[in-house]
Amino acid sequence: DTAVSQTPKYLVTQMGNDKSIKCEQNLGHDTMYWYKQDSKKFLKIMFSYNNKELIINETVPNRFSPKSPDKAHLNLHINSLELGDSAVYFCASSQEAGVAGELFFGEGSRLTVL
Amino acid sequence: GQQVMQIPQYQHVQEGEDFTTYCNSSTTLSNIQWYKQRPGGHPVFLIQLVKSGEVKKQKRLTFQFGEAKKNSSLHITATQTTDVGTYFCAGRPNDYKLSFGAGTTVTVRA
């Protein structure tokens, strides 16, 4: 079983559309994250949830809205997609939000905005 | 802004040679983690260092945490084609959120 799974793996869409990426972890972890990796491979944290509560909300356009229905799921909804949103989006989870939390990443969702 | 700096950005290595990638922070880190991302893949956790001056080894990989807990290094000996990928360090300044370095992308010449 995949520990952190995200869908879809690939997403090609037009500017202005709205799209969602889903993430699920079966590790029993309390904390989940969304990271954005641009073409230069830089990993930038977007959001983090601990037990369904938002704990990290970086400077991200409010077109991006995370939702955590339970601690095993963290979804990302993006409104009015722009060209600059093209990137690979990684979901991750960790057992703890603090010092000891190694991250387990999903396989990524490659978003291409045309 | 980016709190954890990593150099070099690219490393082209002849198979069999050694190389080192470095990670530096302006503030003390509570711990440092290293991840590897293969081309087309996702970051995978390699190791975590917590103590000042700590050194850990995984086969041909040697990880070091500086005495001041502001820098770290990853040294790979006898590079193989399986070492291709991007290596990220990630540190927690002041127990705050994990901050990733920009990564060192390694290519290997056979």
Side-chain angles (χ1 to χ4, degrees):
Chain A
D1 283 345
T2 304
V4 181
S5 58
Q6 21 179 143
T7 55
K9 285 188 168 48
Y10 300 95
L11 194 51
V12 181
T13 188
Q14 299 287 332
M15 257 194 324
N17 285 349
D18 303 339
K19 291 294 177 185
S20 292
I21 308 172
K22 296 186 176 182
C23 180
E24 175 182 2
Q25 54 95 3
N26 62 7
L27 297 167
H29 289 167
D30 286 337
T31 308
M32 295 184 72
Y33 311 79
W34 278 111
Y35 280 84
K36 179 181 180 181
Q37 186 172 50
D38 60 25
S39 57
K40 295 184 178 179
K41 298 191 188 300
F42 184 62
L43 278 164
K44 180 182 176 183
I45 189 166
M46 301 174 69
F47 303 103
S48 177
Y49 273 75
N50 180 256
N51 218 351
K52 300 193 297 176
E53 181 183 345
L54 182 66
I55 57 171
I56 294 176
N57 185 359
E58 288 297 283
T59 308
V60 175
N62 57 15
R63 297 182 294 104
F64 290 79
S65 52
K67 280 192 180 166
S68 182
D70 55 62
K71 74 173 192 177
H73 296 84
L74 180 60
N75 304 323
L76 183 65
H77 187 76
I78 314 170
N79 289 326
S80 303
L81 279 157
E82 299 178 358
L83 294 176
D85 297 333
S86 295
V88 180
Y89 292 85
F90 285 103
C91 176
S93 72
S94 66
Q95 192 167 6
E96 303 174 38
V99 177
E102 79 181 71
L103 300 184
F104 292 78
F105 283 86
E107 295 185 347
S109 297
R110 182 176 292 275
L111 172 65
T112 302
V113 182
L114 304 175
Chain B
Q2 190 177 344
Q3 295 179 287
V4 175
M5 307 302 293
Q6 190 173 353
I7 55 170
Q9 187 176 0
Y10 298 99
Q11 184 81 54
H12 308 290
V13 189
Q14 180 71 41
E15 191 174 15
E17 290 184 344
D18 303 350
F19 76 90
T20 304
T21 173
Y22 300 90
C23 192
N24 296 289
S25 170
S26 57
T27 58
T28 302
L29 302 170
S30 56
N31 63 15
I32 192 95
Q33 297 177 354
W34 286 89
Y35 293 79
K36 178 183 179 180
Q37 184 178 16
R38 294 183 186 274
H42 58 281
V44 175
F45 175 80
L46 293 176
I47 209 159
Q48 175 169 278
L49 305 171
V50 179
K51 299 177 183 176
S52 168
E54 189 171 12
V55 178
K56 288 188 177 180
K57 292 190 176 184
Q58 288 181 350
K59 298 182 180 178
R60 296 178 295 102
L61 278 61
T62 301
F63 304 85
Q64 189 165 10
F65 202 8
E67 294 289 341
K69 300 183 74 172
K70 289 185 176 181
N71 56 71
S72 180
S73 64
L74 161 57
H75 181 77
I76 300 182
T77 58
T79 304
Q80 299 176 0
T81 55
T82 53
D83 295 324
V84 164
T86 301
Y87 294 83
F88 293 96
C89 63
R92 293 183 190 273
N94 304 319
D95 290 349
Y96 194 49
K97 63 181 181 290
L98 200 62
S99 176
F100 278 82
T104 294
T105 297
V106 177
T107 54
V108 179
R109 297 189 300 272

